[in-house]
């Protein structure tokens, strides 16, 4: 039995979409962003660099395509945040400062799945170090469960970075030692790929990732990047699409899930 059998709102496989929309999207790009997301027909969306000025507009556009359950980091004016939206309810887990705008986690009981949406800052320093520590603590504590790390990590392993200097290889390596796997590399060994390009287009790398725990990586059906949106300069990042064939026999009881949108709320995650 797949999740589509349990809840018709979610077809199977379940499609996750992750995208850094570049400084909140802005009013001029918002219609293009909304159209691009809708065209990929996602079931769960994680967006980074969401801003207060456009967050409500984004949430409304996502609700129009059935993603009526949402939560975000509620960033202060001028600050980038993270948003998660889905077709089914989820429990939000928040992170304390200084990473409260960099990470947002969700527990999908109906999918028996944990999701952490991440936007790790690119510049070396304490904020990046704190973001990696919090992300790794969360992932390690849930390594034996279905757990998905999704978003802009501003990091890559061998062959992922081209004329681009970023650390993070050690942090990615820790995830590997706990059984997590890069879902794109699992199916595309050695294939060059760019999810972000420098403004002059002379460098870039695959810095947007879908990294899954061992039990979840086994059910990945498809992982790919859509570059059309980046090439059209709707954002400087490509869209990451992940299809997972997930089913739950433990957590979901048909008819018991709330149908009210999830907005805000949740608890702080402190390992």
């Amino acid at each position: 039995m797949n999740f589509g059998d349990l809840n018709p709102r979610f077809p199977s496989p379940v499609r996750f979409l992750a995208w850094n929309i570049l400084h909140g999207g802005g009013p001029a790009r918002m219609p293009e962003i909304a159209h691009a997301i809708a065209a990929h027909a996602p079931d769960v969306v994680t967006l980074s660099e969401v801003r207060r000025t456009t967050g409500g507009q984004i949430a409304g556009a996502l609700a129009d395509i059935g993603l009526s359950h949402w939560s975000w980091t509620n960033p202060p004016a001028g600050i980038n945040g993270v948003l998660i939206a889905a077709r089914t309810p989820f429990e939000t887990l928040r992170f304390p400062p200084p990473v409260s705008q960099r990470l947002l986690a969700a527990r999908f009981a109906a999918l028996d799945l944990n999701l952490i949406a991440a936007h790790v800052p690119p510049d070396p320093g304490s904020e990046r170090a704190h973001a990696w520590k919090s992300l790794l603590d969360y992932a390690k504590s849930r390594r034996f469960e279905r757990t998905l790390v999704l978003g802009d990590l501003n990091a890559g392993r061998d062959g992922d970075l081209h004329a681009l200097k970023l650390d993070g290889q050690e942090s990615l390596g820790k995830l590997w030692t706990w059984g997590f796997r890069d879902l794109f590399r699992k199916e595309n060994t050695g294939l060059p790929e760019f999810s972000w390009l420098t403004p002059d287009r002379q460098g870039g790398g695959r810095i947007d990732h879908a990294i899954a725990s061992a039990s979840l990586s086994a059910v990945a059906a498809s992982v790919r990047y859509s570059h059309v949106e980046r090439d059209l300069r709707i954002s400087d990042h490509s869209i990451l699409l992940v299809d997972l064939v997930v089913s739950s026999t433990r957590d979901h009881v048909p008819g018991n899930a709330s149908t009210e949108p999830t907005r805000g709320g949740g608890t702080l995650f402190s390992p």
Side-chain angles (χ1 to χ4, degrees), residues 43-267:
D43 300 302
V44 180
V45 167
T46 71
L47 300 178
S48 55
E49 295 201 17
V50 176
R51 292 197 175 179
R52 176 174 292 278
T53 51
T54 53
Q57 188 177 353
I58 291 172
L62 295 177
D64 286 343
I65 60 171
L67 301 165
S68 58
H69 304 273
W70 63 279
S71 185
W72 69 333
T73 56
N74 196 20
I79 301 297
N80 293 328
V82 177
L83 179 147
I84 299 173
R87 297 185 186 276
T88 195
F90 57 88
E91 178 188 1
T92 302
L93 296 175
R94 302 184 181 281
F95 292 77
V99 298
S100 56
Q101 299 303 323
R102 293 293 184 174
L103 304 172
L104 185 66
R107 170 67 184 170
F108 291 89
L111 294 172
D112 187 20
L113 185 146
N114 308 304
L115 169 68
I116 179 168
H119 181 210
V120 176
D123 298 326
S126 61
E127 187 182 10
R128 181 174 172 87
H130 281 298
W132 269 118
K133 183 181 185 307
S134 295
L135 187 157
L136 291 173
D137 286 344
Y138 177 91
K140 185 178 182 181
S141 69
R142 290 160 175 80
R143 66 190 184 279
F144 298 122
E145 305 172 17
R146 288 173 172 168
T147 301
L148 180 64
V149 178
L150 191 62
D152 179 3
L153 303 186
N154 274 303
R157 303 201 79 190
D158 293 342
D160 286 333
L161 305 179
H162 307 270
L164 187 66
K165 293 183 179 180
L166 288 169
D167 61 16
Q169 288 84 358
E170 181 179 351
S171 296
L172 290 170
K174 288 181 179 179
L175 289 170
W176 268 232
T177 64
W178 300 329
F180 284 80
R181 291 295 178 265
D182 179 341
L183 293 183
F184 179 80
R185 278 285 170 248
K186 182 183 173 208
E187 301 297 331
N188 303 279
T189 304
L191 179 68
E193 188 60 281
F194 295 79
S195 68
W196 178 82
L197 294 174
T198 57
D200 61 7
R201 306 254 162 162
Q202 298 302 305
R206 194 174 65 89
I207 60 175
D208 301 88
H209 297 279
I211 300 175
S213 60
S215 60
L216 193 59
S217 66
V219 298
S222 172
V223 183
R224 66 182 180 89
Y225 295 89
S226 175
H227 302 304
V228 174
E229 297 81 9
R230 188 193 67 200
D231 293 342
L232 292 174
R233 299 185 184 273
I234 300 173
S235 173
D236 57 346
H237 285 253
S238 300
I239 289 177
L240 173 56
L241 298 164
V242 182
D243 290 349
L244 300 174
V245 181
V246 288
S247 61
S248 174
T249 58
R250 295 184 307 201
D251 294 336
H252 182 74
V253 178
N256 283 3
S258 168
T259 58
E260 292 299 314
T262 301
R263 303 185 184 184
T267 57

